[in-house]
Amino acid sequence: MAEPIILGIETSCDETGVAVVQGTTVRSNVLGTQTEEHSRFGGVVPEVAARAHIEAIRPLAHAALAKAGVHPEELDAVAATRGPGLSGALLVGFAYGKALAWSLGKPFIGVDHMEGHLFAPRLEHADFEPPAIVVLASGGHSQIVHLTEWGSYEVMGRTIDDAAGEAFDKLARFIGLGYPGGPAIDKASEGGDPTAFAFPRALQDRPYDFSFSGLKTSVVTQLEKAKDSGSVPPLADVAASIQEAIVDVLVAKTFNAVDATGVTVVAGGGGVLANRRLREELANQADKRGVRLLLPSPAYCTDNGAMIAAAGSFHLKRGNVSSWGSDIDTSLTLG
Ligand code: KG4
Ligand code: ZN
């Protein structure tokens, strides 16, 4: 039997993503980025995001269908992000998706955004199957998930304060790099010395949890100290040292979970997994242990509609469809 054709919609934050996915095959994946609208404010402004989604959603949905060569009637279901995320932003994609599904007489599936990130590696690695350890790191969440079977997620560790992406974004702003901070630090770190500053690696006594708020304090203090002593450290060194501190803990805690569970597959998802140094170090550690590393390409690490369609496809097959009365949930949590 042919795999169902799903339209996936993502509007939880500052990217409007729409995709047509059949099984794990991406037939189209279009994205409307709002970076420019938000960059002059130095971060995401919820009202600006919601308005931009409203303007972008319809043309992007049409573009996704046209690119895929799929007529709306041929869709088997529509999936949209239900949460977590910004309420105004979520509402746009969720309401649009629900209305479209209703008008077509097709099922509608509300998808957990983080479950979408969990499914992202499948888009390019169709044989990605549990058991696996999945490190999820985005602007709002950082988690180590033991994927025991699809639909069953044991969250082994999480951040106790800032998410990894949030740490990148806040620190980038502090050192004068723009929004979004992750890609800016990634780029600025080129040629920098990652050992120039000894920034802290917190929560060493907790194998799977993260904390990034102390890092922020340490960066502020150490840079002020350098300034007081009259030296201006190269930006590349500062960026590389910050990046190394975040990458170090993400990798260490991921492989603590790999070692404890004995899984032979490690995967990742979320915007931070686009980070080049993180990808390199995950690969080094996976090689060392002889475990398989399945990372989405950077475009499927950051928010996109395809990952929502992929998770939606799984739920459709299980018969997990949403009721017409279902609503967004800004604080939806995995597991
Ligand atoms: O998953 P995502 O696109 O949106 C959320 O669900 O939040 O993740 C966005 C986060 C932002 O904090 C951004 O700075 C970070 O991912 N990010 C990166 C890189 N690209 C995006 N962080 C580090 N290095 C990157 N190359
Ligand atoms: Zn995300």
Side-chain angles (χ1 to χ4, degrees):
M1 207 182 80
E3 289 280 352
I5 304 176
I6 316 283
L7 184 82
I9 300 173
E10 157 59 35
T11 65
S12 69
C13 190
D14 59 346
E15 313 268 14
T16 319
V18 188
V20 176
V21 172
Q22 184 165 21
T24 57
T25 306
V26 180
R27 296 190 48 173
S28 68
N29 183 48
V30 296
L31 197 69
T33 309
Q34 308 174 4
T35 311
E36 240 178 85
E37 282 101 315
H38 299 291
S39 63
R40 61 198 174 99
F41 299 106
V44 179
V45 181
E47 291 78 6
V48 174
R51 188 172 292 267
H53 285 307
I54 289 172
E55 282 168 15
I57 188 74
R58 197 164 169 273
L60 285 175
H62 285 234
L65 287 164
K67 262 192 154 171
V70 168
H71 191 271
E73 300 289 343
E74 292 175 82
L75 292 172
D76 291 294
V78 178
T81 305
R82 194 176 146 229
L86 305 168
S87 60
L90 284 167
L91 266 172
V92 178
F94 196 80
Y96 183 88
K98 206 201 278 188
L100 179 63
W102 187 82
S103 70
L104 293 169
K106 301 290 163 81
F108 173 70
I109 303 147
V111 170
D112 181 323
H113 180 80
M114 297 313 286
E115 191 181 22
H117 280 306
L118 251 168
F119 270 85
R122 284 209 99 183
L123 297 167
E124 293 157 298
H125 308 278
D127 60 342
F128 170 34
E129 292 293 344
I133 290 296
V134 189
V135 52
L136 297 178
S138 67
H141 297 81
S142 299
Q143 297 170 324
I144 305 262
V145 179
H146 184 196
L147 177 67
T148 48
E149 56 182 295
W150 290 114
S152 181
Y153 315 118
E154 184 202 336
V155 179
M156 292 179 73
R158 55 174 63 74
T159 182
I160 60 161
D161 40 55
D162 293 351
E166 192 178 357
F168 269 114
D169 294 337
K170 285 181 178 170
L171 286 163
R173 201 176 314 149
F174 178 71
I175 63 172
L177 298 171
Y179 156 88
I185 289 189
D186 192 337
K187 189 148 186 288
S189 69
E190 269 170 42
D193 175 7
T195 63
F197 290 89
F199 294 132
R201 275 66 167 160
L203 290 191
Q204 307 253 10
D205 54 329
R206 285 164 69 167
Y208 317 119
D209 290 327
F210 309 104
S211 164
F212 295 108
S213 66
L215 172 62
K216 215 167 45 199
T217 318
S218 171
V219 171
V220 174
T221 324
Q222 292 203 47
L223 290 185
E224 266 166 13
K225 216 178 345 170
K227 203 166 128 201
D228 288 347
S229 69
S231 71
V232 181
L235 184 65
D237 287 357
V238 179
S241 301
I242 291 172
Q243 178 173 267
E244 202 65 12
I246 299 174
V247 165
D248 246 14
V249 285
L250 286 173
V251 172
K253 310 250 159 161
T254 301
F255 284 93
N256 283 346
V258 169
D259 294 341
T261 53
V263 299
T264 56
V265 176
V266 53
V272 177
L273 275 291
N275 184 270
R276 289 174 295 172
R277 178 71 189 119
L278 176 59
R279 298 172 76 90
E280 179 183 51
E281 203 41 39
L282 285 171
N284 287 341
Q285 293 303 321
D287 267 358
K288 230 187 222 170
R289 290 168 172 81
V291 302
R292 258 186 107 197
L293 173 67
L294 303 177
L295 294 181
S297 30
Y300 292 128
C301 288
T302 46
D303 291 349
N304 65 85
M307 67 183 199
I308 302 303
S313 184
F314 163 76
H315 286 296
L316 179 70
K317 285 186 204 159
R318 288 241 171 145
N320 290 341
V321 302
S322 303
S323 74
W324 297 120
S326 65
D327 205 352
I328 59 160
D329 181 351
T330 57
S331 55
L332 200 59
T333 40
L334 205 62

